[in-house]
Amino acid sequence: MNERSSVGELAKSLRRELNRYPEGGKLPSSRALVERFRVSPVTVSRALAQLAAEGLVVTRPGAGAFRSGPRAAAAPAGDTSWQEVALSADGATDAAPRTVDASGVLSTLAAPPSGVIEFNSGYLHASLQPERALAGALARAGRRPGAWGRPPTDGLPELREWFARGIGGAVTAAEVLVTAGGQSALTTALRALAPPGAPVLVESPTYPGLLAIARAAGLRPVPVPVDADGVRPELLERAFAATGARLFVCQPLFQNPTGAVLSGPRRCEVLRVVRAAGAFLVEDDYVRRLAHDDAGPLPRPLAADDPDGHVVHVGSLTKVTSPSLRIGCVTARGPVLERLRAIQVVDSFFVSRPLQEATLELVGSTGWSRYLRSVAHELTARRTAMAAGLQGGLPELALAHVPSGGYHLWLRLPDGCDEAAFVQAALRAGVAVAAGRPYFAAEPPAGHVRVSYAGVAGAGEIAEGLRRLRASTG
């Protein structure tokens, strides 16, 4: 049983037993609960915290946990129907609707029911995350002089320098802003680079979170098809000419969801097209540190080959570490940097200094490179196992490309297969997959699903998940 399900089961057991204790009565000690339920102290602590959040118990440091008194009666529900009119009227004159569908993002963030295998996760399984290294880094960071003071609004100079070195070329620390993760950086970039109502060119298919950001900002996503070598430059050029767009967002390395890498000749062509259009290119370099053992030398970021400031680079450490290490960067050259800086300051002031200090401790440690190699090795094995299992046991799910980086595979469903019904049948069989529809800005050419091998415990769970998937299609 994993930690999350253990916490849930213990909380459920304690919830059933609360009536045994009078109001204000003390629950058994944490040590007694550990021995009785044969769980870890961490599980006990989290279960009690869950009950405290529900208002059922009160925890007092050094004293223990106590049953809460009666809850106050809930206030009667108000009538919020007026909002339907107000929100509709608010968008009546918008050049583009601002209705946001976050389902594609939430499907990779929400924990599935207990016992369901996560083939839809967007993050590394806990067994792959550097939890000890993160804990040590955070502890050391918290003891640094000034660690809890106000940081520079642009981010700690040492962390900006580290990000700049990772991009390469002539990029300097002065052109880097530290952000609260990649999603925050993308949001800032799109708000800075295009006014509401403007078209924004996006890859098709593409990351649902990007589509949600664009629509929330009142932009009009215009899809440009991707194949095994990345976005097609001739179609990108036509899209710029047809729409008058001044912004293109792409993932040149291990694109989400296809896993494509923008080929060498296309890199030059894409940059030429963007320059000719007098446009910006937002480079979402979200997974550079999740290359596999067989990836070979990686192409450097597009920003490293852009002296004229057309490329705005977005990077993040979240995917390769932990969902809670919300540290990323946005890098730009020229006057646009000031606009990016102003938007970020208005939105969030600055990124937590202890988190920045902990990040410096982590990436500066002797074990950082060793950790990256171990993750690459493990993801390679998982990808190989999942690809082989799909090709051998589920050949009707077309796998056109096996990427050498990232954490997922992109599958085309058979013609005539109902995508929503497929996803629901898989869930009933005990495996969660990500539906393909949210990855398209317009009508998809066929049904698809994305399956991830990063959020599972290992090869055994991959095999079991594929077995369940076969059963759901039988």
Side-chain angles (χ1 to χ4, degrees):
M1 183 180 292
N2 61 40
E3 183 69 33
R4 185 168 57 218
S5 61
S6 296
V7 171
E9 289 299 321
L10 179 56
K12 184 177 179 180
S13 298
L14 295 177
R15 204 178 289 113
R16 284 197 302 261
E17 295 182 2
L18 280 178
N19 287 334
R20 298 181 184 178
Y21 306 97
E23 292 174 10
K26 186 176 181 181
L27 275 64
S29 68
S30 293
R31 178 177 296 180
L33 293 175
V34 166
E35 293 175 355
R36 177 184 167 194
F37 290 97
R38 298 185 180 277
V39 293
S40 71
V42 172
T43 297
V44 170
S45 176
R46 290 179 177 173
L48 290 174
Q50 182 173 319
L51 295 183
E54 296 171 9
L56 299 176
V57 303
V58 175
T59 57
R60 299 171 188 160
F66 302 80
R67 183 185 171 189
S68 299
R71 299 188 189 185
D79 180 5
T80 60
S81 58
W82 65 271
Q83 293 185 5
E84 188 173 350
V85 176
L87 292 173
S88 299
D90 180 57
T93 58
D94 287 349
R98 289 187 292 168
T99 302
V100 180
D101 179 4
S103 60
V105 181
L106 291 173
S107 69
T108 64
L109 295 178
S114 178
V116 173
I117 293 176
E118 291 187 71
F119 278 0
N120 64 336
S121 176
Y123 299 104
L124 296 178
H125 188 267
S127 63
L128 295 180
Q129 295 173 25
E131 289 189 342
R132 286 188 178 181
L134 283 167
L138 193 58
R140 293 191 300 274
R143 296 193 295 268
R144 284 187 174 191
W148 295 92
R150 182 178 61 203
T153 54
D154 290 358
L156 298 181
E158 302 92 335
L159 188 54
R160 295 166 68 200
E161 174 64 34
W162 184 84
F163 275 122
R165 286 198 308 272
I167 298 169
V171 174
T172 67
E175 296 161 340
V176 177
L177 305 176
V178 176
T179 66
Q183 188 78 357
S184 174
L186 283 173
T187 301
T188 297
L190 264 64
R191 288 179 57 199
L193 299 174
V200 52
L201 306 186
V202 299
E203 295 170 310
S204 181
T206 192
Y207 165 52
L210 167 64
L211 298 177
I213 291 170
R215 288 167 178 147
L219 305 179
R220 294 187 290 112
V222 177
V224 183
V226 170
D227 62 21
D229 291 321
V231 69
R232 295 173 57 184
E234 75 280 8
L235 297 182
L236 179 65
E237 191 165 26
R238 290 179 203 168
F240 272 122
T243 64
R246 290 294 180 266
L247 176 61
F248 170 50
V249 186
C250 75
Q251 296 175 327
L253 188 64
F254 309 132
Q255 197 259 359
N256 182 7
T258 66
V261 175
L262 189 63
S263 65
R266 287 194 183 182
R267 287 169 60 89
C268 299
E269 274 297 288
V270 166
L271 287 174
R272 180 194 65 77
V273 168
V274 169
R275 289 173 184 138
F280 287 101
L281 185 158
V282 173
E283 176 184 23
D284 183 8
D285 201 15
Y286 76 112
V287 77
R288 178 166 293 272
R289 295 174 182 85
L290 287 182
H292 299 167
D293 288 344
D294 55 358
L298 299 181
R300 65 184 191 169
L302 294 175
D305 297 320
D306 171 52
D308 301 323
H310 287 279
V311 178
V312 173
H313 181 274
V314 168
S316 173
L317 280 168
T318 302
K319 292 295 186 187
V320 73
T321 55
S322 161
S324 290
L325 190 70
R326 308 300 302 171
I327 292 289
C329 71
V330 59
T331 303
R333 178 170 291 155
V336 73
L337 180 62
E338 185 55 41
R339 184 179 293 187
L340 291 162
R341 177 183 289 116
I343 290 175
Q344 173 157 297
V345 167
V346 168
D347 281 351
S348 57
F349 291 173
F350 47 75
V351 177
S352 161
R353 181 161 190 155
L355 207 55
Q356 292 189 63
E357 298 277 10
T359 301
L360 281 171
E361 289 280 351
L362 180 69
V363 301
S365 68
T366 56
W368 176 243
S369 295
R370 185 168 61 252
Y371 166 70
L372 293 180
R373 289 194 298 271
S374 71
V375 170
H377 182 70
E378 181 62 28
L379 289 181
T380 304
R382 291 174 178 219
R383 178 210 66 197
T384 301
M386 179 172 275
L390 285 165
Q391 291 165 340
L394 287 158
E396 66 274 20
L397 304 181
L399 175 58
H401 176 61
V402 179
S404 57
Y407 53 89
H408 56 259
L409 301 175
W410 182 239
L411 307 173
R412 176 170 173 154
L413 300 180
D415 290 342
C417 179
D418 185 293
E419 180 184 293
F422 180 94
V423 172
Q424 287 302 313
L427 189 59
R428 287 194 297 271
V431 57
V433 299
R437 180 63 186 88
Y439 292 81
F440 291 90
E443 291 77 12
H448 292 80
V449 292
R450 196 193 76 163
V451 290
S452 167
Y453 44 83
V456 294
E461 199 163 42
I462 289 174
E464 173 60 17
L466 293 178
R467 185 196 67 76
R468 297 181 186 183
L469 205 53
R470 281 194 299 273
S472 75
T473 61

